[in-house]
Amino acid sequence: MAFPSTTVQMKKRIVALILAISVLGSSVIIGRLFQLQVVQAEDLQKRAARQQMRVTSLSAQRGTIYDRNGEILAMSGTVWTVYLSPVDIDSEEERSLIAKGLSEILDVSEEFVLEKSQRNTYYEIIKKKIERPLADEVTEFVTENGITCVGLEEDYKRYYPYGTLASTVLGFTGSENQGAYGIEAYYDSVLSGTNGQIVSAKNAWGTDMPFKYEKMYEAQNGNDLVLTIDVNIQRFVDKHLEQAVIEHEVQNKACAIVMDVKTGEILAMSTKPDFDPNSPNTIYDENVQAQLDAITDEDARQEALLEAQYEQWRNKAISDPYEPGSVFKIITASAVLEEKVVGLNNSFTCTGSYESGGVVYHCWKLAGHGTQNFAQTLQNSCNPAFISYGQALGKEKFREYFQAFGLTQTTGIDLPGEAGSIYHAEEDFGVTELSSSSFGQTFKVTALQLITAVSAAVNGGELMQPYIVKQVADEEKNVVSETTPVVKRQVISNETSATMASLCESVVSEGSGRNARLPGFRIGGKTGTSEKLGANDSDWKILSFVGFAPADDPQIAVLVMLDEPKLDDPYGSTIAAPIVKNMLADILPYC
Ligand SMILES: [Zn+2]
């Protein structure tokens, strides 16, 4: 065990301490006792006169977060706090030597150190959370100059070795190592462990004798988490999503999810632009930073900064409900096939518009699609056909399936900040609402709700519980708990589901999803384009695509959603589908 501060006096104390407690054999305790004895001895001595007993906390080390392959996504490393005991400064000469030396090593001003050194205290923090090379420099400086009033105490700092990767999912910790956002916040009690205590008697402080403790309760370090996230898949998804945001000048962020359709495991979840959890308060979007810099009023700027920070931490995939548009036709199609109100041999003629309940709806193809069979209506994403399917299904059945596919409730994923959907209340659900809902408009769901519903449509009909933590393990890697896949309910039959997978494959092989075609792989999918509800400018759209593979036995699904790309004529089929194709081109050979 290396001690960063090694003055002669301290060395004596340390040797005495180690002899006194070596039987315990715990390096953590030794480290903390060192801190207690060396750092706080004087202070404690003073207080001991007033206190019969003293209770000192021993920090637990926060657990590590791994991806599904054992790659470290978040870990705690040892850092040090540099402190000064002003009352122990021997001379004015030593005072200026310390101020000069520490200011150079720690990049703080000499005035700052001098000001602290004038105080009549035993403990003044000069700098927190410094890392190894700096800590060694401080040790060298105090040793060489025989300084006894400067020391180092151990602390922990959170590191995220992959930087921005999955940052909106992982979250980050606060200055006291507490979980502040994302998984770090949701699983804080699992990760943080339990601090220990030293309960010590007042006597023996400050003498040459090692202090005598009454009782010591070891800190219980936090448990580790193993996520369902796969670093490689996450990296592929991040890369393509980031490119898309830049290329299409996406104004209101983009998100993507990769799900194991059979288990509900989240293999990747991405929001772009995002942030680096190693420094979560830094604004990473240059445009946003420029806007902040332009605010002259300090209070207004601080307020805007806070808002911008919350915005960049936001996990769009679970927090921002949106109109799914035509992707939702997978759900309508599943329901009508399951209820057998419309068959595969059904024929529908699209003239370009359709009247229902006194409202005329236009197909996106104004000239009309002509006469189509069921598969062709899905391939063409024909709105009039789907309005007629909705009418055939009826209000009650439509609502039943909407609910059964999990779209009326949050999924209950183990992440904080999940939003629910926004949809018509039963009493407001008339023929008009049924019509618009049938092709995915006038209601909002989250990307996570939608990919979970689509997965149910093609995985054999089971609505799965999505989850992101696979396993909790203790310090010795013993499994404390393991998440097993949960089937919430059977929504459609195995047979209908197989039909849906095959229909979706035809959307990619022959229909509007052909931009997602990938030679050598059987891919199913559906495009979505929707105008933003309440948007003043109808040019602002949300483009999305959900793809899955292999189409004959679906294993993984990928959803991509771009919120407000800047384009002349944006359609999900031309923009979002190729992004999913590029992701699958990387993911499928890897899986
Ligand atoms: Zn049509």
Side-chain angles (χ1 to χ4, degrees):
M1 162 117 202
F3 291 99
S5 182
T6 50
T7 64
V8 175
Q9 190 191 358
M10 283 177 180
K11 274 181 180 165
K12 279 185 195 162
R13 286 178 175 178
I14 292 161
V15 169
L17 260 170
I18 292 174
L19 287 175
I21 60 174
S22 60
V23 284
L24 290 163
S26 164
S27 59
V28 173
I29 290 176
I30 293 170
R32 299 301 298 191
L33 284 181
F34 157 72
Q35 171 193 332
L36 190 70
Q37 174 76 349
V38 180
V39 177
Q40 298 173 323
E42 305 289 339
D43 190 31
L44 291 175
Q45 182 185 10
K46 224 177 159 189
R47 288 194 216 170
R50 284 176 273 126
Q51 279 178 312
Q52 189 66 25
M53 301 287 284
R54 179 173 172 81
V55 179
T56 304
S57 175
L58 302 174
S59 318
Q61 183 166 2
R62 195 171 176 84
T64 302
I65 303 177
Y66 298 95
D67 91 328
R68 64 188 301 123
N69 311 312
E71 293 289 321
I72 293 174
L73 298 177
M75 61 179 287
S76 290
T78 306
V79 289
W80 289 270
T81 296
V82 183
Y83 69 91
L84 169 68
S85 176
V87 295
D88 292 322
I89 294 173
D90 292 334
S91 63
E92 285 309 307
E93 200 185 2
E94 189 179 55
R95 187 189 310 278
S96 42
L97 177 68
I98 289 168
K100 189 167 185 300
L102 290 186
S103 72
E104 278 170 10
I105 298 167
L106 302 174
D107 193 27
V108 293
S109 73
E110 259 186 83
E111 293 70 38
F112 170 77
V113 183
L114 282 173
E115 194 273 314
K116 292 254 176 184
S117 78
Q118 303 293 347
R119 297 183 186 181
N120 186 30
T121 58
Y122 295 92
Y123 185 78
E124 292 294 330
I125 291 170
I126 304 300
K127 193 154 188 175
K128 277 184 149 182
K129 303 206 175 198
I130 68 162
E131 298 178 40
R132 187 95 238 181
L134 273 192
D136 290 344
E137 274 183 58
V138 173
T139 304
E140 209 181 309
F141 168 70
V142 296
T143 311
E144 274 178 7
N145 293 288
I147 296 166
T148 57
C149 56
V150 171
L152 295 161
E153 63 179 352
E154 268 187 18
D155 190 9
Y156 295 115
K157 185 186 168 186
R158 205 66 168 157
Y159 294 94
Y160 302 88
Y162 285 92
T164 60
L165 186 116
S167 59
T168 53
V169 171
L170 291 173
F172 51 88
T173 56
S175 55
E176 302 303 317
N177 300 322
Q178 81 282 16
Y181 208 83
I183 287 171
E184 294 274 27
Y186 195 90
Y187 282 96
D188 191 45
S189 60
V190 176
L191 288 163
S192 60
T194 312
N195 286 342
Q197 282 185 338
I198 299 174
V199 182
S200 47
K202 68 168 184 176
N203 298 329
W205 289 106
T207 69
D208 287 340
M209 299 268 292
F211 73 83
K212 293 188 176 94
Y213 54 84
E214 290 288 334
K215 211 146 198 173
M216 199 177 300
Y217 305 93
E218 269 193 75
Q220 284 282 312
N221 286 344
N223 283 332
D224 297 339
L225 300 178
V226 179
L227 305 189
T228 57
I229 297 281
D230 183 307
V231 156
N232 295 307
I233 296 177
Q234 181 75 37
R235 217 172 353 207
F236 298 144
V237 168
D238 276 3
K239 178 182 75 178
H240 293 295
L241 195 66
E242 193 158 29
Q243 273 173 10
V245 166
I246 295 165
E247 189 182 337
H248 304 297
E249 296 180 54
V250 175
Q251 304 294 298
N252 197 26
K253 294 196 186 191
C255 68
I257 302 173
V258 181
M259 179 180 273
D260 181 322
V261 302
K262 304 228 159 158
T263 61
E265 289 174 286
I266 304 295
L267 302 174
M269 187 180 270
S270 180
T271 300
K272 291 287 175 186
D274 52 1
F275 65 98
D276 184 342
N278 289 300
S279 178
N281 293 326
T282 306
I283 298 295
Y284 289 88
D285 188 319
E286 285 173 17
N287 295 330
V288 174
Q289 186 57 55
Q291 282 165 21
L292 289 171
D293 292 342
I295 303 172
T296 46
D297 181 72
E298 181 58 25
D299 288 346
R301 205 173 59 84
Q302 278 303 323
E303 203 174 303
L305 173 64
L306 267 178
E307 209 172 294
Q309 285 168 340
Y310 277 110
E311 192 49 45
Q312 79 171 1
W313 300 333
R314 203 175 164 81
N315 182 347
K316 192 174 182 70
I318 64 166
S319 301
D320 287 4
Y322 68 104
E323 274 193 298
S326 298
V327 170
F328 185 79
K329 286 172 182 160
I330 294 176
I331 307 305
T332 307
S334 301
V336 295
L337 291 180
E338 180 72 10
E339 289 296 314
K340 299 185 167 53
V341 293
V342 178
L344 290 173
N345 299 323
N346 186 75
S347 154
F348 181 88
T349 303
C350 168
T351 60
S353 63
Y354 188 86
E355 200 206 309
S356 164
V359 180
V360 177
Y361 296 87
H362 291 282
C363 190
W364 65 268
K365 190 176 180 184
L366 293 174
H369 285 107
T371 300
Q372 314 153 87
N373 63 22
F374 189 85
Q376 286 167 327
T377 60
L378 191 68
Q379 288 161 16
N380 294 332
S381 201
C382 178
N383 288 350
F386 275 79
I387 295 169
S388 78
Y389 299 159
Q391 304 299 325
L393 195 60
K395 284 191 286 186
E396 264 145 50
K397 281 287 170 195
F398 182 91
R399 292 181 72 83
E400 242 177 74
Y401 279 91
F402 194 82
Q403 186 271 330
F405 273 107
L407 301 174
T408 58
Q409 281 183 318
T410 54
T411 67
I413 192 171
D414 44 345
L415 283 173
E418 186 185 12
S421 47
I422 301 162
Y423 60 102
H424 304 284
E426 195 170 359
E427 60 271 25
D428 302 331
F429 198 67
V431 67
T432 312
E433 289 73 27
L434 174 61
S435 296
S436 55
S437 297
S438 300
F439 59 97
Q441 304 222 337
T442 68
F443 66 89
K444 291 185 178 188
V445 295
T446 64
L448 181 64
Q449 284 177 311
L450 191 60
I451 195 172
T452 309
V454 171
S455 293
V458 300
N459 72 359
E462 294 177 332
L463 187 75
M464 302 305 299
Q465 166 66 56
Y467 63 99
I468 202 138
V469 167
K470 214 174 157 55
Q471 207 177 70
V472 176
D474 68 15
E475 268 183 284
E476 280 81 42
K477 311 253 181 229
N478 302 310
V479 176
V480 175
S481 69
E482 182 120 33
T483 316
T484 47
V486 172
V487 181
K488 284 185 172 173
R489 66 187 82 93
Q490 184 85 30
V491 186
I492 54 173
S493 68
N494 202 38
E495 192 191 355
T496 305
S497 177
T499 305
M500 280 313 304
S502 143
L503 286 171
C504 290
E505 186 182 15
S506 79
V507 170
V508 173
S509 59
E510 299 162 47
S512 53
R514 69 182 75 83
N515 286 317
R517 263 189 297 198
L518 194 61
F521 295 99
R522 295 182 63 176
I523 292 169
K526 185 75 197 77
T527 56
T529 308
S530 58
E531 281 168 20
K532 294 195 79 171
L533 279 182
N536 294 325
D537 187 344
S538 62
D539 286 347
W540 291 127
K541 290 184 173 157
I542 292 181
L543 305 187
S544 61
F545 189 86
V546 177
F548 59 87
D552 54 337
D553 180 23
Q555 304 290 329
I556 63 159
V558 182
L559 179 151
V560 163
M561 186 264 261
L562 310 182
D563 196 344
E564 301 187 2
K566 213 170 184 179
L567 296 160
D568 296 333
D569 184 22
Y571 281 106
S573 56
T574 54
I575 303 301
I579 302 166
V580 171
K581 179 190 78 174
N582 291 336
M583 288 176 181
L584 286 171
D586 283 339
I587 296 167
L588 292 177
Y590 165 76
C591 282

